[in-house]
Amino acid sequence: MEKAFFCLLLWLTIINANAFFSLAAESSAVDQQPAPQVEKVEPPNWWANHSIDSIRLLVRGANFQNAKVASANKSLKVSNIKVNSRGDYLFFDVSIAKDAKNGKYEFQVSTASGKTIVPFEISAPLDTKTNFQPITNDDVIYLIMIDRFANGDSSNDKDVDRQNPRAWHGGDFRGIKSKIPYLKELGITAIWLTPWYDNADEATTCDKPWCPMTSYHGYGATDYYAVENHFGTMKDLRELIEACHQNGIKIIQDQVANHVGFKHVWMKNPPLENWFTPFTQNTFNNSVLLSPNASQSERDNLLKGWFDFSLPDLNQDEPEVSKYEIQNTLWWIAATGIDGIRQDTIQYMPRTFIRDWSSAILKQYPKFYMVGEVFERDSAQTAFFQGGKTGWDKIDTNLPSVFDFKLWETSQEVFTGKKPMRALRDVLKYDGLYADISRVTTLQNNHDTDRFMSLPNATLEGAMLHTAFMLSTRGIPQLYAGEEIAMKGGHDPDNRQDFAGGFAGDKIDKFTKAGRTADEQKMFEWTKEWIKLRQYNSVIERGRTIDLFYDNDVYIFERRYDSSGSNVVFPLVVFAFNSSKNKREISLKINTSDFEILIEGGNKVSIADNKASLILEPQSVSAYEYHPNDNIYTLE
Ligand SMILES: [Ca+2]
Ligand SMILES: [Ca+2]
Ligand SMILES: [Ca+2]
């Protein structure tokens, strides 16, 4: 690509020289268009025997008007050639023979003025035994903001300024790789990394409070086929993924198909006139998607409106855009061996696109995990986007998972004393709205929201209960780096502070016990213990939920397998939360004395006359394993 770019620069120089001569001589103008030039090919490579059997190439360059494209090899066949009105983008389909050999290929592009080469490659597929492993209910996901976790390579620290919360801080792939022992100690089994597409290096300027701002967060792609130079190289990324896989840690890529960064070359010269939607400000009236009664103009504002002028909104209704983005996703999976995808701001794209995107991924990788960010405090709206059933619009998105933001918010409210304990049960009562509640992704917190310890009335006990609840309820849990050491942090970017100890010059290393305060160590051990507990009995990961007792202070529920009626699989696990400052005693009727305490938490259980009396200490949680001989217990 670099070589091709050099050619373009050279060509620009020649054009300027031509212009100079035609002005000077005022005659013999060079009216013939220059020869075609190739600057970038997307995708640059593909794989034989892929479920997408006809790849659509997008070639950026110049002078493609009336271009003909020919394949130099019989294994690759070209069809469906299209050139945009300016002649600087060329589209064509390539069908790849199933027995096409791995290696370099090329296509010849010719016009009346000359010809050039489009380079391409058929790559060897990655090992399916170690890559593309489905994220399941057995996993615990850990969100890492790449720039803010650990700096393992100072050579990529361009314009790093750790004093500025909106500047690059230097974290990278090698830094994360160096902290794999810490991740293993904590016990998580998957990491979600914030977007690693190449973003602009320069800070944006505007009159908004968040400017100047760099793209350290990764949400403004300027190249969908390259990694961010601040994070490392494609090789560094592959090495991180391989090292994670060797250590039993899966990788989730953060993808952003809704919009690109303002500095993307498409912004000035889009491949097609309708590549982006025309600028209108999105008013974020999100519920118009859920309501069958919304007007088309309301829905258009939500799907086509831009987040702001710096984030051009891609038009997925244009088939070329949709195809480009679906191929881009499949390219990242096959090229890097990732195990899952988190799709940013998914509800701002047409549901037909979400369906086509999900279906294409699942066609190639039937058990692949994709989770959509539907940032809504409304279970009905998040459930609307999970695949497995059709909505009022007759569309099944096929999307395996969505984040459960309503449960996250409610748990934070309950464990900071803002809402009664029973509010959690009142969220979970909507579980039936989801096509598959067990596949929903629960979140402890994320990089867009205040850290638990910075919420009003937050206490360490509250943070511990919140984390315990997220690791005992249904779904696939996702933790946020730093919460396990009770980090503080208010609104963005305060909630994205560096992980102390990950950066050269840090005086304290919180990746080690020695660097943590007593409270931080308490939270770390607690989180570790609850991850371990979750993994101890698969019923916590996969069982259904049965409410046993709930009031303003206490919520007791069991997680159990049962296929039907009396066919209950033992042991069950019972969780008892007491969020109040008062001791409580709750009595459960049981048929056996075999009632084992898994985690103490200071709580006691006494068994007598087929009754289990749970003594719940103030602000506590206990987990109990239950092995009855026949029937289950009832509450008194
Ligand atoms: Ca670095
Ligand atoms: Ca960059
Ligand atoms: Ca959109």
Side-chain angles (χ1 to χ4, degrees):
M1 285 311 108
E2 276 171 18
K3 199 172 168 190
F5 185 64
F6 176 71
C7 290
L8 182 78
L9 287 178
L10 200 65
W11 165 75
L12 287 170
T13 314
I14 292 165
I15 289 289
N16 287 339
N18 282 342
F20 173 75
F21 284 124
S22 60
L23 274 174
E26 283 187 0
S27 63
S28 66
V30 184
D31 49 10
Q32 190 186 23
Q33 77 168 35
Q37 299 284 344
V38 170
E39 188 182 343
K40 190 167 173 64
V41 185
E42 297 177 313
N45 63 303
W46 205 257
W47 298 266
N49 277 312
H50 196 282
S51 59
I52 291 195
D53 49 13
S54 187
I55 286 299
R56 189 134 179 91
L57 262 57
L58 175 63
V59 183
R60 187 166 81 227
N63 311 315
F64 293 137
Q65 285 89 349
N66 303 312
K68 292 192 175 80
V69 184
S71 171
N73 188 299
K74 277 188 297 188
S75 294
L76 305 190
K77 288 197 169 61
V78 170
S79 63
N80 201 12
I81 300 162
K82 181 156 94 185
V83 174
N84 73 343
S85 58
R86 291 185 312 272
D88 53 4
Y89 280 94
L90 169 67
F91 301 76
F92 60 94
D93 284 354
V94 177
S95 76
I96 301 167
K98 288 204 177 346
D99 60 353
K101 291 193 171 58
N102 300 331
K104 293 193 186 306
Y105 288 79
E106 55 186 41
F107 305 101
Q108 195 175 70
V109 178
S110 55
T111 68
S113 310
K115 57 191 175 187
T116 188
I117 293 301
V118 172
F120 194 65
E121 197 172 323
I122 301 296
S123 302
L126 296 174
D127 186 356
T128 55
K129 287 195 187 72
T130 52
N131 298 288
F132 330 120
Q133 299 303 303
I135 308 278
T136 70
N137 286 74
D138 300 334
D139 285 303
V140 176
I141 302 167
Y142 183 78
L143 163 61
I144 290 176
M145 207 160 199
I146 303 174
D147 185 58
R148 304 296 163 90
F149 193 63
N151 188 353
D153 180 0
S154 59
S155 73
N156 55 30
D157 292 354
K158 188 171 183 251
D159 299 328
V160 157
D161 177 7
R162 290 185 62 207
Q163 304 309 311
N164 179 349
R166 292 192 171 90
W168 299 92
H169 287 191
D172 49 37
F173 298 135
R174 287 198 199 173
I176 298 167
K177 190 168 158 235
S178 74
K179 299 303 177 194
I180 288 175
Y182 173 80
L183 301 174
K184 285 193 75 173
E185 186 193 358
L186 182 59
I188 58 91
T189 63
I191 51 176
W192 153 25
L193 303 181
T194 44
W196 60 59
Y197 306 121
D198 195 15
N199 277 230
D201 290 351
E202 308 79 31
T204 53
T205 49
C206 70
D207 57 2
K208 300 279 181 2
W210 57 81
C211 289
M213 165 131 144
T214 67
S215 294
Y216 72 91
H217 47 72
Y219 289 96
T222 51
D223 188 341
Y224 273 134
Y225 281 95
V227 297
E228 171 52 47
N229 44 297
H230 285 85
F231 300 156
T233 61
M234 194 70 177
K235 189 166 166 282
D236 294 330
L237 174 62
R238 270 296 298 151
E239 284 175 6
L240 168 63
I241 294 173
E242 277 190 345
C244 282
H245 284 167
Q246 281 163 12
N247 284 282
I249 296 170
K250 299 167 190 173
I251 303 263
I252 299 167
Q253 182 189 9
D254 201 335
Q255 296 200 346
V256 192
N258 182 62
H259 50 257
V260 292
F262 190 74
K263 297 264 173 77
H264 196 295
V265 291
W266 291 339
M267 187 54 199
K268 279 185 183 150
N269 290 317
L272 296 173
E273 290 308 312
N274 64 345
W275 196 256
F276 295 113
T277 58
F279 176 75
T280 47
Q281 179 60 53
N282 200 317
T283 56
F284 301 108
N285 189 13
N286 298 350
S287 66
V288 298
L289 297 171
L290 183 62
S291 169
N293 309 327
S295 71
Q296 192 57 45
S297 65
E298 281 184 300
R299 251 177 238 130
D300 281 351
N301 174 270
L302 200 86
L303 297 172
K304 299 174 192 290
W306 296 21
F307 274 47
D308 67 58
F309 195 69
S310 69
L311 296 172
D313 203 83
L314 286 153
N315 176 18
Q316 290 87 11
D317 286 336
E318 162 57 51
E320 296 283 10
V321 172
S322 169
K323 181 127 191 169
Y324 176 97
E325 297 202 294
I326 288 168
Q327 288 183 177
N328 182 247
T329 290
L330 287 162
W331 182 85
W332 278 110
I333 302 172
T336 63
I338 54 166
D339 310 290
I341 291 170
R342 178 258 187 188
Q343 182 63 256
D344 189 53
T345 58
I346 200 164
Q347 61 178 334
Y348 303 97
M349 298 187 283
R351 281 164 56 85
T352 47
F353 172 74
I354 301 171
R355 175 198 63 201
D356 294 349
W357 179 79
S358 300
S359 307
I361 299 167
L362 294 172
K363 190 174 175 195
Q364 179 71 16
Y365 308 97
K367 293 183 170 171
F368 209 78
Y369 167 84
M370 298 94 82
V371 57
E373 184 206 20
V374 181
F375 201 146
E376 287 306 314
R377 293 163 169 92
D378 177 353
S379 301
Q381 180 119 353
T382 45
F384 183 55
F385 284 87
Q386 187 187 32
K389 64 179 182 185
T390 53
W392 62 264
D393 54 5
K394 309 273 195 292
I395 293 167
D396 176 346
T397 63
N398 280 336
L399 182 69
S401 189
V402 287
F403 289 108
D404 189 347
F405 282 99
K406 182 64 184 172
L407 191 63
W408 154 80
E409 179 186 56
T410 306
S411 178
Q412 287 193 333
E413 289 169 337
V414 165
F415 295 116
T416 53
K418 202 172 162 187
K419 278 192 176 166
M421 195 71 212
R422 64 167 294 144
L424 285 169
R425 176 267 167 194
D426 289 342
V427 175
L428 296 171
K429 75 183 176 189
Y430 293 113
D431 280 2
L433 295 177
Y434 292 88
D436 183 356
I437 192 62
S438 74
R439 297 283 286 154
V440 160
T441 304
T442 57
L443 62 150
Q444 174 199 40
N445 220 338
N446 73 24
H447 56 319
D448 289 326
T449 55
D450 296 359
R451 287 194 178 275
F452 189 96
M453 289 308 290
S454 289
L455 297 172
N457 303 316
T459 58
L460 186 67
E461 290 70 28
M464 289 164 75
L465 291 176
H466 170 65
T467 294
F469 181 73
M470 284 305 157
L471 288 166
S472 57
T473 190
R474 80 292 184 276
I476 302 170
Q478 174 253 302
L479 312 179
Y480 175 37
E483 296 288 299
E484 77 276 19
I485 53 165
M487 268 178 85
K488 285 188 175 156
H491 298 349
D492 168 10
D494 195 40
N495 52 358
R496 300 167 173 190
Q497 290 176 37
D498 299 342
F499 202 111
F503 297 78
D506 282 351
K507 291 195 178 67
I508 299 167
D509 182 1
K510 295 196 186 294
F511 287 103
T512 65
K513 185 180 175 184
R516 297 192 277 262
T517 65
D519 277 0
E520 289 166 352
Q521 181 62 14
K522 198 174 172 189
M523 188 70 195
F524 179 79
E525 287 298 332
W526 177 265
T527 308
K528 204 172 120 177
E529 198 174 359
W530 276 85
I531 292 172
K532 216 176 270 168
L533 175 70
R534 187 177 174 85
Q535 293 160 344
Y536 162 82
N537 185 334
S538 73
V539 78
I540 307 171
E541 299 165 328
R542 295 162 180 278
R544 56 179 292 218
T545 304
I546 305 285
D547 293 332
L548 300 181
F549 182 87
Y550 46 89
D551 65 12
N552 286 348
D553 302 334
V554 171
Y555 185 23
I556 305 174
F557 57 94
E558 68 179 26
R559 305 294 311 285
R560 73 171 186 188
Y561 290 123
D562 62 350
S563 43
S564 64
S566 59
N567 189 17
V568 182
V569 181
F570 296 107
L572 312 168
V573 171
V574 174
F575 294 100
F577 286 79
N578 176 11
S579 67
S580 78
K581 297 208 164 80
N582 306 312
K583 189 189 254 190
R584 291 286 303 272
E585 185 170 345
I586 311 288
S587 196
L588 304 173
K589 193 186 277 178
I590 58 171
N591 289 342
T592 176
S593 61
D594 194 1
F595 201 67
E596 180 187 338
I597 299 176
L598 287 182
I599 191 167
E600 288 272 355
N603 290 350
K604 294 188 180 70
V605 55
S606 62
I607 311 286
D609 302 329
N610 290 341
K611 277 186 198 165
S613 291
L614 310 187
I615 299 157
L616 308 179
E617 297 294 330
Q619 293 196 294
S620 72
V621 53
S622 285
Y624 310 93
E625 199 170 72
Y626 184 51
H627 311 254
N629 295 321
D630 49 17
N631 217 340
I632 59 163
Y633 42 77
T634 52
L635 279 166
E636 293 234 309

